[in-house]
């Protein structure tokens, strides 16, 4: 039985391995992008607060 099944397993194994590798690669890239966007947003908010504190308010 193994002799009949082995050619199919051997043919599909590289494709499955590359698909799993691709999945984890894309997952890591997207998670890194999400973290970078959160950090950028946090940085922009902090600098916007700092800028609004440093500028004198116009009082009429």
């Amino acid at each position: 039985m193994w002799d009949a099944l082995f050619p199919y397993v051997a043919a599909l194994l590289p494709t499955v391995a590359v698909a799993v590798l691709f999945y984890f690669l894309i997952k890591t890239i997207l998670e890194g992008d999400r973290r970078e966007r959160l950090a950028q947003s946090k940085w922009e908010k902090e600098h916007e607060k700092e800028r609004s504190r440093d500028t004198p308010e116009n009082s009429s």
Side-chain angles (χ1 to χ4, degrees), residues 30-44:
L30 292 177
E31 286 176 359
D33 182 58
R34 181 181 56 85
R35 287 189 198 116
E36 185 177 357
R37 287 175 189 259
L38 288 173
Q40 180 73 24
S41 175
K42 183 179 177 183
W43 183 84
E44 287 174 355

Side-chain angles (χ1 to χ4, degrees), residues 7-60:
Y8 298 106
V9 172
L12 293 175
L13 190 61
T15 303
V16 171
V18 169
V20 169
L21 214 84
F22 181 75
Y23 169 77
F24 284 111
L25 178 68
I26 295 299
K27 181 181 171 190
T28 303
I29 289 171
L30 292 177
E31 286 176 359
D33 182 58
R34 181 181 56 85
R35 287 189 198 116
E36 185 177 357
R37 287 175 189 259
L38 288 173
Q40 180 73 24
S41 175
K42 183 179 177 183
W43 183 84
E44 287 174 355
K45 285 178 185 176
E46 289 174 357
H47 281 275
E48 189 174 317
K49 285 180 185 177
E50 188 176 300
R51 245 185 277 132
S52 66
R53 245 187 304 149
D54 291 345
T55 58
E57 293 182 16
N58 294 336
S59 50
S60 305

